[in-house]
Amino acid sequence: MRQVVSWATDACVGFVRGCVVVVVSMLVPAVWGAAVTLGIWWGAGNPWSWVAPLVLVCVGTLGLARPVCRMVRHLVARWTATVVPDGYRQAGPVTRMSTGYWWNGFGYERTKRDALLDQRWRVRWKDPANWRDLRFTAIAPLTAGLVASLPPAGVAAAVLGLGSLGQGESGPAGRVVGALGLVVALAGAPYAWRPVEPVAVRFLGPSPAMALADRVDELTAQRADTTVAQAAEIRRIERDLHDGAQARLVALGLSLATAEKLMETDPDQARALMREARVGAATSLTELRDLVQGINPPVLNDRGLVDAVRALVLDSPLEAAVSADVRLNLDPPIESALYFGTTELLTNAVKHAHATRARISIARDDTAIVIDVEDNGRGGARVRADGGLAGLRRRLAVFDGTLEVTSPAGGPTRARMMVPCESL
């Protein structure tokens, strides 16, 4: 009985999905059919009768191609959890130059509005994905749309065939047509919509050239981010050295020079200066160790990522637990990025979310290292363009890593860092 109920449910759901696929895939052919109908109605004798149908076909096809493809991607992702990347070109930043004009990547405009409008149209019409979308609107009706139309067509044939029997208009032929239509509808309903997934994956994904161009743009942006981050880190180290250890070492040298002069005339004062110099040297050593800790923690080199995170938790005001049942052998740059990423997430949990407890999970799958950080804070965390989470995302992107943050209002906040790594 359960199998019958399950099959009936699949048949109903499949029938509805098949109808949706038919409607979506046939939108552009419907425009073509309307154009042909308009041309026939206008009359072939009129020499201008082809203008309106041609305009309708061009405008309708170009206007519907991208919405239809986006709708198909959305349906495939919702029904099968298969994400088909769109590969559309993204508009770059619009920058105001010193001359007062706005540069949009293609030309100069007097106002920001004109620059954005010009950029939007140039990106849209120069995008090679337009040809891919137009190709899909021609292929989909003959593939996924045609197969998905079998159950609705079967239902229509069954209604017409069996309905004609009730009116006495047909004999065995109507009975056969109705029975065949019913069999086609019932047998094909659970499966007729499924070809939309392979068709979308095959014809809607970005081409190798588009993927390569996007990858080049992504690497260019990552290189720029890395250069900026390195420059900022160097400036921070220089500032910390100049304001901290360097100043103390200069003072230490002056104290030692003064103590040397006072050694014979005022030994007590010289000993006092020596004691102050010793304290200054210890303080400078502590500051240098803190500086090294901020660059590359020694515990990370000595004991690895898992133990370094456990040591980090011990110094955190949060009541945190670390679960890790794996021993990792990661490259030092990846370990450093994940360690400082965990530090950033714990700091945000204390500073912004006012959390009291946190849970850190370190695991791995076949090709990646995954770190989940969850806290009981007030939530509402967002990845802003100039925020710390955006910087962390850019830092992980250098290694093709990702950062996913789920933080509803009221909490909890869950952050997942994932970095592909074959050295596991």
Side-chain angles (χ1 to χ4, degrees):
M1 184 63 183
R2 292 182 179 178
Q3 294 180 350
V4 175
V5 174
S6 177
W7 179 86
T9 303
D10 292 342
C12 294
V13 173
F15 182 81
V16 174
R17 291 180 177 180
C19 293
V20 173
V21 171
V22 171
V23 172
V24 173
S25 61
M26 294 298 176
L27 285 176
V28 174
V31 173
W32 301 342
V36 172
T37 303
L38 178 62
I40 295 175
W41 174 79
W42 202 316
N46 189 339
W48 298 100
S49 60
W50 58 273
V51 175
L54 180 62
V55 172
L56 179 60
V57 167
C58 295
V59 174
T61 302
L62 294 176
L64 288 174
R66 184 164 291 190
V68 166
C69 294
R70 284 177 171 168
M71 198 176 305
V72 170
R73 290 190 191 92
H74 172 72
L75 294 176
V76 170
R78 183 174 181 180
W79 292 344
T80 67
T82 300
V83 178
V84 182
D86 52 32
Y88 295 129
R89 283 186 175 178
Q90 301 298 323
V94 174
T95 307
R96 188 172 187 177
M97 310 303 292
S98 59
T99 57
Y101 283 82
W102 292 84
W103 170 255
N104 60 11
F106 301 96
Y108 297 94
E109 300 293 339
R110 290 183 177 273
T111 65
K112 183 178 182 179
R113 177 180 175 277
D114 293 340
L116 289 172
L117 184 62
D118 177 70
Q119 182 191 59
R120 186 179 301 114
W121 282 105
R122 287 177 181 268
V123 170
R124 177 67 183 270
W125 294 113
K126 291 186 176 182
D127 193 345
N130 291 329
W131 297 106
R132 180 202 58 200
D133 292 349
L134 292 174
R135 180 188 62 180
F136 180 79
T137 57
I139 294 175
L142 302 177
T143 53
L146 184 62
V147 176
S149 65
L150 291 179
V155 171
V159 171
L160 294 176
L162 298 178
S164 63
L165 289 178
Q167 299 176 1
E169 299 177 359
S170 177
R175 188 179 296 108
V176 171
V177 171
L180 287 177
L182 190 60
V183 169
V184 170
L186 293 177
Y191 313 104
W193 64 273
R194 296 185 181 276
V196 70
E197 179 188 3
V199 172
V201 172
R202 171 62 180 83
F203 296 103
L204 273 187
S207 65
M210 295 167 58
L212 181 60
D214 292 340
R215 182 59 175 165
V216 170
D217 294 339
E218 180 182 356
L219 292 176
T220 302
Q222 290 178 4
R223 182 183 64 182
D225 290 337
T226 303
T227 302
V228 173
Q230 288 178 344
E233 185 70 9
I234 290 174
R235 288 194 299 270
R236 182 187 71 83
I237 295 172
E238 290 176 346
R239 184 175 62 253
D240 292 346
L241 287 174
H242 182 272
D243 297 341
Q246 178 178 334
R248 292 187 181 277
L249 290 175
V250 171
L252 175 63
L254 294 175
S255 297
L256 291 176
T258 305
E260 183 181 3
K261 294 179 180 179
L262 295 175
M263 188 65 69
E264 296 180 357
T265 59
D266 192 351
D268 294 336
Q269 183 66 23
R271 281 193 293 270
L273 289 175
M274 294 290 289
R275 286 193 296 269
E276 292 178 1
R278 185 173 65 243
V279 174
T283 304
S284 298
L285 181 60
T286 302
E287 290 182 350
L288 289 175
R289 286 174 176 172
D290 293 340
L291 183 62
V292 172
Q293 179 79 12
I295 299 173
N296 190 22
V299 66
L300 193 61
N301 294 330
D302 298 338
R303 302 168 59 185
L305 177 63
V306 175
D307 290 335
V309 171
R310 288 187 175 131
L312 174 66
V313 166
L314 293 177
D315 296 332
S316 174
L318 292 173
E319 181 183 345
V322 180
S323 61
D325 56 355
V326 295
R327 295 190 62 85
L328 304 175
N329 182 22
L330 302 175
D331 295 334
I334 297 178
E335 280 190 335
S336 178
L338 292 174
Y339 175 83
F340 285 110
T342 305
T343 305
E344 175 77 18
L345 295 175
L346 290 179
T347 302
N348 289 344
V350 175
K351 182 178 179 180
H352 301 294
H354 303 291
T356 58
R357 294 191 307 274
R359 183 179 59 85
I360 303 173
S361 173
I362 304 176
R364 67 180 180 183
D365 55 18
D366 295 337
T367 59
I369 173 71
V370 180
I371 298 182
D372 291 315
V373 180
E374 180 179 349
D375 65 69
N376 66 340
R378 61 187 180 183
R382 297 291 181 269
V383 181
R384 298 178 177 85
D386 56 347
L389 292 178
L392 175 56
R393 178 172 286 177
R394 290 192 297 268
R395 185 169 190 170
L396 295 176
V398 175
F399 309 99
D400 286 337
T402 58
L403 171 66
E404 298 176 1
V405 179
T406 304
S407 182
T413 297
R414 298 182 181 89
R416 165 168 288 193
M417 296 182 293
M418 183 172 64
V419 176
C421 185
E422 295 183 357
S423 62
L424 295 174

